[in-house]
Amino acid sequence: MRMTGAKAIVEALHKEKVTTLFGIPGGVVIPLFDAIYGDKKLNLVVTKHEQGAIHAADGYARSCGKPGVCIVTSGPGATNIVTGLATAYMDSVPLVAITGQVPTAMIGNDAFQEADTTGITRPVTKHNFLIREPGELPLVLKKAFYLATTGRCGPVLVDVPKDMLTAQIEFDYPDKVSIPGYSIPEQGHARQIKKVMDAIKEAKKPLIYAGGGIITSNASDELKKFAKTTGIPVVLTLMGLGAFPASEPEFLGMLGMHGTKTANYATDRCDLLIALGSRFDDRVTGKLELFAPHAKFIHVDIDPASISKNVIIDIPIVGDAKQTLREMNKQAQKLAISDWLSEIARWKEEHPLTYSNDEVLRPQYVIDRLYEITKGDAIITTEVGQNQMWAAQFYKFNKPRRLITSGGLGTMGYGLPAAIGAQLANPDALVVDIAGDGSIQMNIQEMATIAQRALPIKVVILNNGYLGMVRQWQEYFFDRRYSATCLRRDKRCPDICCEPGPHCPPYVPDFVKLADAYGAVGIRIHKKADVDDALREAVTQDKTVLMDFLINPEENVTPMVPAGAPINKMISSKEDADAFLLA
Amino acid sequence: MEKEYTLAVTVENKSGVLAHIAGLFSGRGFNISELSVGETENPDYSRMTIVVKGDEKILDQVKKQLNKFIDVVKVIDLSGATAVHREIILIKVKAPAQKRQEVFQIAEIFKGKVVDLSHESLTLEVTGIADKIEALIKILQPYGILEMARTGRVSISRGAGKKGGTTNG
């Protein structure tokens, strides 16, 4: 069938069963938006900033597993999605971004709104394409969706010059593609699986260390079966939270920089570490040479380049986590590891995650109550920093795809637009963005998108008046020199200041008024006693509700592994930090 | 231990691929010491010969990261002894009439060709492995090297097969 390139893109989106996409129009992509105009099968969500569009597409993808799609214009439209591409790339999220480009004849001429999009995005995409022949469009789009959603998933970008959109082409959408330089590992090698099972039988102190790969490959049931059958305890990365139910006794918590003491001690003492879909990130390992120093390492990963990158692996398996775990489950048996389990049980009892249960309004309490009131069943998106770590520590994730957070890149401003995508992918779910007063402002404009779409998203701002995580590092390691982290600072403030004074405004900005301006409900919570009422009111309303919790300003995320320390050396106070710096 | 490794990388013959591979090396802090590119027997593919400096661990990562690229079809490690390595140098040296004969002799020893001649200089073309090229440069230095251009090595495995590669497919 003959049609324009723009129409061919729309047809390709239909073929790929895309129903929701995010974007903002601009000069060169007018023909594409024209082809989408009035299309009954495509729900186009126009955000207020391209970064919002790509994070929304990302939140959509993470919360339902289908690829997120985003369409923006050339030049600034394309450069505005770079952070979102990098975010998705680091966390292996399937996205297809379509960017407009200046007409072919003008490429390289510094044309209006021209940028070398494929050049700029090459290091932050799994792959990208620049269309040079309009006839390539169907095949390239097929390849883009195929690459984004298979193997180690990731963002793929297709850059389309304007003349490609207006040209007439024959639309013939392939059912299959083959790409010579690309293959998808499936089930791990049988001989390697046998080696793994033998090592597990011999281990006295085995530990499963699972990550986001379990969620991407939908392997949570298989992981649960494996841990339950063998009795091996489980620690999860930030990206892995929900991959194994937090309510199960085998679960020891998140490991790493802000992990539980139990998880980090178990990692330190184990004699066999079974890494499943996790990549030995520095926030997980701490000082690499001292990471799990007594352990033999098993690593199951779909990306061969992740294996033996940071830690030399004893038994590597290149394969899909789901299929490999299925095979492992066939051979799994109950292990006799009761000594190890009682050692762990002791740590669990001695070192639970805690916070002061006094009259002060503390963020951990807010999350605790949010967990209870939402019955642990909300989809939580987060911003980045303390808010993210408190969410990870105190909201107990029992199902996969319930924590939507920027782990690898650590992108502030991710949570609010990601919540849009998560809500659209899960219209009946309760979606909550846990935010800080700093990071929410990096994409606050998307409140307008949320209100216009009448999405009943709840925003929990843990407002401490600081860029809290940086302030915490400054408190611990820089003598409380709060350089550039006070969000209430104004022109009257002295150069050096680490204590709010009488002239300080109580908060900046007034988020309740801001909520009102966007047409959402705003609630300010000053006291611990008011937390429950506010949360209950918010979750029962079918409206966008923004809650501004004025929390203890200098609350810290603990325990904490100082950067460069081994993960069993956790600190919980300024005194601990001083001792660490002296050592 | 820091060593030099030679990789023959078959890639899709299209624009942007070289930039992508160069970007991988700079982005991940790998060092390229030599790089040459040209078409293969199949015009859809180009072949890059890349010489990398580093240890075994770096080489392993370089190979894995190259294999991960969609546009990379095959990576062959030619670091062993079973490969032929060649490089071309064009070198312009000062050669006034009284010195010219000496330079001709050097060219002959190195199995080189004189490809350009003027009153004051001559240009030699020499092919060989890196050691030979280095030796030539050293010998010509006293005469005064005016300009030189090296291709970087191209390498190919010995024997009939195309063995030794790790492919994506």
Side-chain angles (χ1 to χ4, degrees):
Chain A
M1 203 169 40
R2 282 193 81 72
M3 59 181 71
T4 62
K7 188 81 176 78
I9 292 175
V10 172
E11 285 305 313
L13 295 177
H14 290 162
K15 292 276 187 192
E16 295 294 339
K17 301 190 172 58
V18 173
T19 54
T20 306
L21 66 162
F22 305 86
I24 299 185
V28 297
V29 281
I30 294 173
L32 181 51
F33 281 82
D34 185 69
I36 294 169
Y37 195 46
D39 188 293
K40 291 274 186 293
K41 291 186 218 151
L42 292 177
N43 179 15
L44 170 69
V45 181
V46 181
T47 55
K48 302 299 153 192
H49 190 295
E50 285 90 354
Q51 191 185 354
I54 190 142
H55 288 329
D58 177 311
Y60 178 91
R62 292 191 207 218
S63 66
C64 74
K66 290 195 285 181
V69 178
C70 153
I71 302 181
V72 298
T73 194
S74 63
T79 54
N80 276 344
I81 67 166
V82 172
T83 301
L85 291 169
T87 304
Y89 187 59
M90 285 288 256
D91 290 345
S92 309
V93 179
L95 290 187
V96 174
I98 300 169
T99 50
Q101 182 56 277
V102 300
T104 313
M106 290 164 83
I107 289 180
N109 285 355
D110 299 325
F112 176 66
Q113 292 196 328
E114 181 186 358
D116 174 9
T117 302
T118 50
I120 290 168
T121 60
R122 204 168 278 131
V124 293
T125 50
K126 182 171 174 182
H127 196 55
N128 65 25
F129 299 91
L130 170 62
I131 304 288
R132 293 178 176 277
E133 288 290 334
E136 305 175 339
L137 269 168
L139 180 61
V140 166
L141 283 160
K142 179 76 195 173
K143 282 185 181 175
F145 278 92
Y146 176 67
L147 288 170
T149 55
T150 55
R152 181 172 179 178
C153 297
V156 177
L157 181 141
V158 183
D159 199 26
V160 192
K162 187 181 179 187
D163 49 323
M164 303 291 131
L165 294 173
T166 49
Q168 287 286 326
I169 68 159
E170 191 61 39
F171 183 77
D172 185 11
Y173 203 68
D175 291 331
K176 275 188 179 160
V177 279
S178 102
I179 301 170
Y182 183 69
S183 72
I184 308 160
E186 292 176 353
Q187 183 190 305
H189 199 286
R191 200 176 55 223
Q192 292 299 92
I193 291 176
K194 171 84 170 51
K195 273 194 203 164
V196 165
M197 298 314 292
D198 289 347
I200 288 173
K201 260 180 243 160
E202 280 168 27
K204 304 237 169 350
K205 299 180 172 191
L207 182 69
I208 294 167
Y209 145 53
I214 298 291
I215 293 173
T216 315
S217 75
N218 297 312
S220 298
D221 289 344
E222 287 77 6
L223 173 63
K224 188 175 170 187
K225 189 173 173 203
F226 184 70
K228 283 286 177 192
T229 312
T230 57
I232 302 175
V234 179
V235 298
L236 294 174
T237 66
L238 175 66
M239 297 311 301
L241 291 177
F244 185 80
S247 55
E248 294 293 334
E250 289 83 2
F251 183 59
L252 313 185
M254 179 170 77
L255 82 165
M257 185 171 272
H258 292 294
T260 64
K261 287 196 170 177
T262 308
N264 285 349
Y265 287 151
T267 308
D268 182 60
R269 303 289 167 79
C270 71
D271 67 355
L272 180 71
L273 191 71
I274 308 160
L276 303 170
S278 49
R279 60 181 179 87
F280 298 85
D281 174 79
D282 58 274
R283 284 296 190 264
V284 158
T285 63
K287 191 179 175 72
L288 206 54
E289 305 81 71
L290 293 176
F291 179 67
H294 313 291
K296 193 170 184 174
F297 291 104
I298 292 168
H299 191 183
V300 179
D301 206 290
I302 199 154
D303 177 8
S306 278
I307 292 177
S308 292
K309 183 176 70 183
N310 298 335
V311 168
I312 302 296
I313 301 301
D314 299 288
I315 313 175
I317 294 187
V318 176
D320 173 65
K322 189 184 185 82
Q323 298 186 47
T324 307
L325 271 166
R326 261 191 200 153
E327 261 335 279
M328 286 164 68
N329 275 330
K330 286 183 193 160
Q331 305 171 39
Q333 293 167 4
K334 195 84 189 164
L335 300 177
I337 49 171
S338 55
D339 287 355
W340 173 230
L341 296 181
S342 34
E343 196 178 351
I344 286 172
R346 249 191 333 272
W347 289 326
K348 256 192 177 178
E349 203 183 305
E350 284 168 18
H351 308 290
L353 281 172
T354 54
Y355 56 92
S356 301
N357 191 13
D358 50 16
E359 284 315 298
V360 179
L361 176 51
R362 295 187 194 271
Q364 302 93 329
Y365 176 77
V366 176
I367 313 268
D368 244 352
R369 295 311 302 156
L370 178 70
Y371 173 75
E372 292 298 333
I373 287 165
T374 59
K375 301 182 182 66
D377 211 23
I379 294 178
I380 304 290
T381 70
T382 79
E383 306 294 333
V384 167
Q386 288 184 316
N387 62 82
Q388 178 185 35
M389 290 299 113
W390 285 318
Q393 289 181 332
F394 290 94
Y395 201 93
K396 298 170 197 75
F397 295 93
N398 290 317
K399 292 179 194 164
R401 303 193 185 278
R402 293 300 172 92
L403 173 62
I404 311 294
T405 193
S406 166
L409 197 68
T411 307
M412 290 170 72
Y414 171 80
L416 190 65
I420 297 174
Q423 186 73 79
L424 288 164
N426 304 271
D428 299 327
L430 177 63
V431 177
V432 182
D433 174 29
I434 295 178
D437 51 323
S439 43
I440 187 93
Q441 293 187 69
M442 291 203 181
N443 271 315
I444 189 84
Q445 77 285 347
E446 300 311 331
M447 281 296 290
T449 314
I450 292 170
Q452 284 171 311
R453 292 246 154 195
L455 300 175
I457 291 167
K458 317 303 172 198
V459 182
V460 169
I461 299 180
L462 302 171
N463 189 340
N464 53 13
Y466 286 108
L467 296 168
M469 188 58 94
V470 178
R471 185 212 56 75
Q472 176 173 340
W473 284 52
Q474 289 170 333
E475 178 187 340
Y476 281 175
F477 310 115
F478 288 84
D479 250 346
R480 286 190 89 218
R481 288 165 54 83
Y482 292 165
S483 172
T485 42
C486 180
L487 293 169
R488 293 191 276 166
R489 190 176 176 83
D490 64 28
K491 62 181 181 183
R492 295 165 301 179
C493 295
D495 288 344
I496 303 283
C497 162
C498 62
E499 218 75 65
H503 67 264
C504 293
Y507 35 74
V508 182
D510 186 331
F511 285 111
V512 172
K513 277 191 188 158
L514 201 54
D516 189 49
Y518 283 120
V521 178
I523 310 172
R524 181 165 294 116
I525 301 94
H526 300 264
K527 296 201 304 282
K528 191 177 176 181
D530 298 335
V531 170
D532 270 34
D533 284 350
L535 288 172
R536 276 184 218 286
E537 193 192 329
V539 301
T540 47
Q541 287 201 54
D542 192 30
K543 287 182 183 154
T544 315
V545 182
L546 181 150
M547 289 157 277
D548 185 24
F549 292 89
L550 300 182
I551 61 161
N552 180 33
E554 294 191 69
E555 190 73 31
N556 289 330
V557 180
T558 60
M560 175 182 188
V561 178
I567 61 167
N568 63 337
K569 297 277 180 281
M570 286 161 277
I571 63 173
S572 294
S573 65
K574 173 72 179 138
E575 291 70 42
D576 291 354
D578 290 344
F580 170 77
L581 289 175
L582 282 173
Chain B
M1 202 184 61
E2 184 108 334
K3 272 173 65 179
E4 262 192 5
Y5 300 94
T6 309
L7 300 175
V9 185
T10 308
V11 301
E12 302 253 4
N13 185 8
K14 57 187 189 193
S15 67
V17 177
L18 177 62
H20 197 179
I21 290 190
L24 165 78
F25 280 80
S26 64
R28 292 195 180 260
F30 305 142
N31 282 319
I32 296 183
S33 47
E34 293 171 46
L35 171 69
S36 65
V37 196
E39 230 176 60
T40 65
E41 69 281 5
N42 178 345
D44 289 344
Y45 299 139
S46 295
R47 177 160 164 142
M48 296 186 181
T49 310
I50 304 176
V51 181
V52 192
K53 270 202 183 121
D55 54 21
E56 285 280 348
K57 192 175 169 228
I58 287 182
L59 175 74
D60 182 59
Q61 262 300 305
V62 168
K63 284 200 269 188
K64 283 174 172 172
Q65 293 292 346
L66 284 170
N67 264 318
K68 204 168 151 176
F69 279 179
I70 313 301
D71 288 331
V72 169
V73 179
K74 194 197 266 183
V75 180
I76 306 176
D77 186 353
L78 293 172
S79 308
T82 55
V84 182
H85 307 281
R86 286 294 179 272
E87 183 183 357
I88 296 178
I89 185 172
L90 294 175
I91 186 162
K92 191 182 287 180
V93 283
K94 274 193 202 158
Q98 67 274 27
K99 294 275 181 194
R100 196 165 288 165
Q101 210 48 43
E102 287 176 36
V103 179
F104 279 152
Q105 273 170 11
I106 292 170
E108 206 170 303
I109 292 164
F110 281 86
K111 298 194 174 70
K113 276 195 290 193
V114 176
V115 292
D116 186 52
L117 187 63
S118 72
H119 289 299
E120 293 303 314
S121 72
L122 59 79
T123 300
L124 299 182
E125 175 200 314
V126 174
T127 304
I129 57 169
D131 286 354
K132 177 178 165 186
I133 306 283
E134 294 294 339
L136 173 76
I137 294 168
K138 217 169 155 188
I139 283 214
L140 289 178
Q141 226 133 35
Y143 297 92
I145 296 171
L146 296 169
E147 207 180 337
M148 62 184 235
R150 298 174 66 166
T151 57
R153 82 186 62 165
V154 289
S155 305
I156 203 162
S157 62
R158 290 184 189 273
K162 284 185 167 186
K163 286 173 292 188
T166 51
T167 63
N168 289 327

